[in-house]
């Protein structure tokens, strides 16, 4: 869908959205880690929800899935398994950013 919006170069808005996601990823992860460390379920829920949506829009399914699980923990008010899930988010996010950066490199 992002390829069909914006410039008619076959890429549309996709490059801009990928760049924004890759640039925001470290901050998003840091904020999520801070919320888990602070034991703030509401913040974990909100931050995980936002990252899940962004990842899902770019096809980063494993990131979205792990974030969805974190979001559910936050919504339930229990962060007992959050550290393990956060480690999974970090791993999957790094992988997704590498793949997405590769997609941008193909554009050049």
């Amino acid at each position: 869908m992002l390829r069909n919006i914006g410039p008619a170069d076959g890429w549309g808005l996709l490059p801009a959205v990928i760049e924004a996601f890759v640039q925001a990823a470290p901050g998003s992860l840091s904020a999520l880690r801070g919320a888990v460390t602070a034991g703030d379920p509401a913040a974990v829920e909100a931050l995980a929800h936002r990252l899940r949506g962004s990842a899902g829009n770019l096809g980063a399914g494993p990131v979205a899935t792990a974030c969805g699980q974190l979001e559910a923990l936050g919504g339930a008010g229990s962060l007992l398994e959050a550290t393990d899930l956060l480690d999974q988010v970090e791993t999957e996010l790094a992988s997704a950013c590498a793949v997405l950066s590769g997609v941008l490199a193909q554009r050049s």
Side-chain angles (χ1 to χ4, degrees):
M1 183 171 100
L2 293 171
R3 288 179 186 244
N4 296 325
I5 301 171
D9 61 0
W11 286 90
L13 292 179
L14 185 61
V17 173
I18 289 173
E19 287 176 19
F21 180 82
V22 170
Q23 289 178 0
S28 297
L29 184 62
S30 178
L32 196 49
R33 190 171 295 283
V36 168
T37 300
D40 186 345
V44 169
E45 180 180 22
L47 292 164
H49 176 80
R50 184 169 57 219
L51 185 54
R52 178 176 65 98
S54 298
N57 286 336
L58 289 171
V63 176
T65 298
C67 285
Q69 292 170 334
L70 266 176
E71 182 182 356
L73 287 178
S78 172
L79 300 178
L80 295 177
E81 299 171 24
T83 302
D84 290 339
L85 280 172
L86 190 56
D87 291 342
Q88 183 179 352
V89 168
E90 183 173 17
T91 299
E92 297 297 348
L93 190 57
S95 178
C97 286
V99 169
L100 291 169
S101 293
V103 168
L104 287 180
Q106 290 177 1
R107 180 176 178 240
S108 301

